C-alpha cells in the first residue's frame, strides 16, 4: 500500500475588507479563480475589517475542524503596515494548535505587470500604442517608504518595456496624485495618457484614482480577478508551503 500523500496546508487569503460591496465581490471572484487553478488546495477567505468572515473567525473554525497547517496569504500588493503589523498581530492571536506560515505579498511580480497591460488593452489601447503612450501607475498609497520605493521601481521597470513614459502616483498618504501625474505626462509630450490602477479591488481609493484620471485618454480597470493575479497567489502559496512539504517528502 502506498503511503498517503501529506495533506497540503489550507490557504487562507487575507483581504483588507471595505464598506464598498464591490470589494468583497471582487475578492471572492479572485479566490474562485485560485480554486480553479489548484483544486487540490482548500482555499478560505478572511477579512481584516468591515466584511465577514473575519480572519480570526476563519482560523478558529479551521482549528476546531482539526486543521493543523495553514498558509496565510496577504491580499496586498506591497509590504506596508498591514503586512508588517496588522496581519502578524492577528496571526499571533490564532489558536495555538495551528501552524501558520505567512506568505509574501503579491508584488512586485512580472505577472502583475502583465495584468496591468491586460487592463489597459481591455480599455482600448493596443500594443502598437505603447511607444506613444504615457502611463500613470496609480497605487493606493502608503506612508511606508519601502512601499513607496517599490512602486517607483515598478514604474521604472514597466517603462523599460516600451512605454513612452511611466510615472507613479498615489491616491493617499504620498504624492504625486493621479491628476498631477497625468498633467506631467501631457507636458512631457506623450501623444496619449493612460491611467493603470495598481489596486486589487474597487473601493474608496480606486474611486479617487478614477476621478484623478479625468484628464487622461484611457483608464484601466482594477486588477481584480485577472488570471495573472490568481497565478501570483498560487506562486506565493507554493513558496510559503514548499519547506514544509519538502520536510514531509512531498
Amino acid at each position: 500500500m502506498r503511503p498517503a500523500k501529506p495533506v497540503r496546508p489550507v490557504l487562507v487569503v487575507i483581504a483588507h475588507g471595505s464598506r464598498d460591496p464591490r470589494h468583497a465581490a471582487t475578492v471572492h471572484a479572485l479566490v474562485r479563480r485560485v480554486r480553479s487553478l489548484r483544486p487540490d488546495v482548500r482555499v478560505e477567505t478572511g477579512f481584516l475589517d468591515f466584511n465577514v468572515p473575519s480572519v480570526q473567525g476563519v482560523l478558529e473554525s479551521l482549528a476546531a475542524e482539526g486543521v493543523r497547517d495553514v498558509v496565510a496569504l496577504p491580499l496586498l500588493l506591497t509590504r506596508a503596515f498591514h503586512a508588517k503589523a496588522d496581519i502578524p498581530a492577528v496571526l499571533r492571536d490564532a489558536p495555538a494548535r495551528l501552524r501558520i506560515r505567512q506568505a509574501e505579498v503579491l508584488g512586485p511580480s512580472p505577472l502583475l505587470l502583465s495584468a496591468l497591460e491586460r487592463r489597459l488593452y481591455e480599455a482600448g489601447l493596443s500594443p502598437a500604442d505603447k511607444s506613444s503612450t504615457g502611463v500613470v501607475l496609480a497605487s493606493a498609497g502608503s506612508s511606508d517608504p519601502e512601499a513607496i520605493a517599490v512602486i517607483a521601481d515598478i514604474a521604472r521597470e514597466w517603462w523599460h518595456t516600451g512605454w513612452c513614459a511611466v510615472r507613479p502616483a498615489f491616491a493617499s498618504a504620498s504624492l504625486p496624485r493621479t491628476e498631477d501625474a497625468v498633467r506631467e505626462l501631457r507636458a512631457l509630450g506623450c501623444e496619449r495618457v493612460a491611467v493603470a490602477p495598481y489596486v486589487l479591488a474597487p473601493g474608496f481609493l480606486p474611486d479617487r484614482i478614477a476621478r484623478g484620471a479625468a484628464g487622461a485618454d484611457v483608464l484601466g480597470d482594477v486588477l481584480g480577478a485577472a488570471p495573472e493575479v490568481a497565478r501570483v497567489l498560487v506562486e506565493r502559496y507554493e513558496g510559503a508551503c514548499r519547506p514544509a512539504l519538502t520536510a514531509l517528502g512531498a
Side-chain angles (χ1 to χ4, degrees):
M1 181 181 295
R2 292 182 179 180
K5 288 186 177 180
V7 176
R8 290 190 170 272
V10 174
L11 170 56
V12 176
V13 177
I14 301 178
H16 182 275
S18 171
R19 293 186 179 91
D20 189 322
R22 297 173 298 168
H23 175 91
T26 302
V27 170
H28 290 310
L30 176 59
V31 169
R32 286 194 296 272
R33 191 179 284 273
V34 172
R35 290 189 181 118
S36 71
L37 291 176
R38 291 300 303 268
D40 59 321
V41 175
R42 179 177 175 181
V43 186
E44 301 291 342
T45 308
F47 295 89
L48 291 173
D49 206 353
F50 301 116
N51 303 106
V52 292
S54 68
V55 178
Q56 188 67 26
V58 170
L59 295 176
E60 288 174 356
S61 294
L62 291 173
E65 290 179 30
V67 170
R68 294 298 303 274
D69 292 299
V70 171
V71 169
L73 198 162
L75 197 60
L76 301 168
L77 293 172
T78 58
R79 266 183 50 79
F81 183 79
H82 292 305
K84 294 178 179 179
D86 282 352
I87 291 175
V90 171
L91 298 182
R92 283 195 296 271
D93 290 336
R97 67 168 286 118
L98 293 177
R99 293 189 292 255
I100 302 177
R101 294 172 177 266
Q102 182 175 332
E104 293 295 326
V105 297
L106 305 186
S109 167
L111 285 170
L112 295 179
L113 286 181
S114 296
L116 286 167
E117 291 208 9
R118 168 196 289 274
R119 293 306 190 216
L120 290 180
Y121 295 151
E122 290 170 348
L125 290 180
S126 73
D129 296 324
K130 288 187 73 168
S131 62
S132 57
T133 301
V135 179
V136 178
L137 179 67
S139 78
S142 173
S143 58
D144 187 306
E146 178 187 349
I148 297 304
V150 166
I151 298 300
D153 287 343
I154 293 170
R156 282 191 292 269
E157 179 182 350
W158 205 15
W159 171 56
H160 287 304
T161 68
W163 296 101
C164 174
V166 180
R167 295 290 186 271
F170 308 93
S172 68
S174 306
L175 296 174
R177 294 286 184 257
T178 302
E179 54 268 33
D180 299 326
V182 169
R183 285 193 290 268
E184 180 185 349
L185 290 172
R186 292 283 188 212
L188 192 63
C190 297
E191 184 176 321
R192 66 186 64 78
V193 176
V195 174
Y198 190 59
V199 292
L200 286 166
F204 177 75
L205 293 179
D207 284 350
R208 180 180 288 178
I209 290 171
R211 290 192 297 272
D217 302 292
V218 173
L219 170 63
D221 199 357
V222 299
L223 293 169
E228 297 90 346
V229 179
R231 287 168 58 196
V232 176
L233 265 72
V234 170
E235 286 185 357
R236 297 295 182 259
Y237 168 78
E238 291 176 344
C241 69
R242 189 173 294 119
L245 294 176
T246 300
L248 290 170

